[in-house]
Amino acid sequence: MPTFTGTPDIDILPRRLMDRKKAEDLSAIVREIAEVEEVLTKDYPYRGGDHVVGRLIVVLKPGSDHEAVVDLLKPVLEQDLPFGYDIRFGRF
């Protein structure tokens, strides 16, 4: 397995699928954190042509402290994802 250096991404995996509007609102809040460069979402097709979101990938600016960003994210995630979530670090 290749090793990776640099600033890892933060992969947020909600324990339930979110509707697109909720994911967009959450992404907008996360983008306000200074160390965040971009927030990507993984959509899945749903009935009637709608989509649901199953994960958010937070891309950090180079040199950012990912643990400090997670500390800023936790209160927002606990409020917006009361059903729980998992966090992973790496390149996604």
Side-chain angles (χ1 to χ4, degrees):
M1 177 181 238
T3 59
F4 121 95
T5 59
T7 305
D9 299 331
I10 301 170
D11 189 22
I12 302 168
L13 301 151
R15 294 193 181 139
R16 293 187 186 169
L17 298 172
M18 297 182 286
D19 66 29
R20 187 180 282 180
K21 172 69 173 131
K22 182 171 187 90
E24 288 172 359
D25 292 345
L26 182 56
S27 295
I29 293 168
V30 172
R31 281 187 189 98
E32 292 178 8
I33 297 172
E35 293 86 356
V36 173
E37 187 169 296
E38 186 175 1
V39 179
L40 309 170
T41 59
K42 174 61 178 160
D43 296 5
Y44 300 95
Y46 192 64
R47 291 181 271 178
D50 266 347
H51 285 80
V52 291
V53 175
R55 73 194 277 195
L56 291 100
I57 299 171
V58 180
V59 180
L60 300 177
K61 294 177 182 173
S64 296
D65 179 1
H66 63 282
E67 293 289 345
V69 173
V70 168
D71 290 341
L72 295 173
L73 286 173
K74 280 186 179 180
V76 173
L77 296 175
E78 288 170 8
Q79 179 179 346
D80 286 0
L81 305 174
F83 40 81
Y85 59 89
D86 295 302
I87 293 178
R88 301 183 307 171
F89 302 106
R91 289 283 180 219
F92 303 102

